[in-house]
Amino acid sequence: MKSTVQTQRWYGYFFIGLSVVALGLAGILAMPLIDRALLLTTALTLLVYGLTYQPRIHRGWWRLLLGVSSLVAILDVTLALTVAPVLVTALFGFALPLGFLIVLLGYMKRLVQA
């Protein structure tokens, strides 16, 4: 029988795999820019969520994810302000994955090893 740690690690791999699928769909499907940005934000969130199931994360990887997530958040807000016809709907569309991403990055900080 698998241990809890092994099972959780496989949960992590599952969400990382979903992230890869979402990233692939964003590259293949023809969709508006705002939808593509939302799908990429969701892919990043799934990647970070999958990594939270790993027992340890190196500080460099966490900082890289923090930097990429900050850049994505800035790009999402900029895109919503400039492209979206209905500003409030676009900002709320990005609010859930970005909020979840921020919570996950904060949670990951306790798993970081030097």
Side-chain angles (χ1 to χ4, degrees), residues 34-48:
I34 194 103
D35 293 337
R36 188 179 309 270
L38 184 57
L39 190 56
L40 291 174
T41 304
T42 304
L44 179 63
T45 303
L46 286 169
L47 173 68
V48 172

Side-chain angles (χ1 to χ4, degrees), residues 1 5-6 14 18 23 25 28 33-34 37 39 45 50 53-55 64 71 77 79 85 87-88 90 93 95 97 99:
M1 183 155 59
V5 173
Q6 288 174 326
F14 173 74
L18 280 178
L23 184 64
L25 288 175
I28 293 172
L33 186 61
I34 194 103
L39 190 56
T45 303
Y53 280 102
Q54 303 309 312
L64 177 69
L71 180 67
V77 170
L79 183 66
L87 177 64
V88 176

Side-chain angles (χ1 to χ4, degrees), residues 1 13 38-39 45 58 60 62 64 67 76 91 93 96 103 105 107:
M1 183 155 59
Y13 295 150
L38 184 57
L39 190 56
T45 303
H58 291 285
W62 182 77
L64 177 69
D76 287 346
L91 285 175
L96 183 62
V103 169
L105 286 167
Y107 174 77

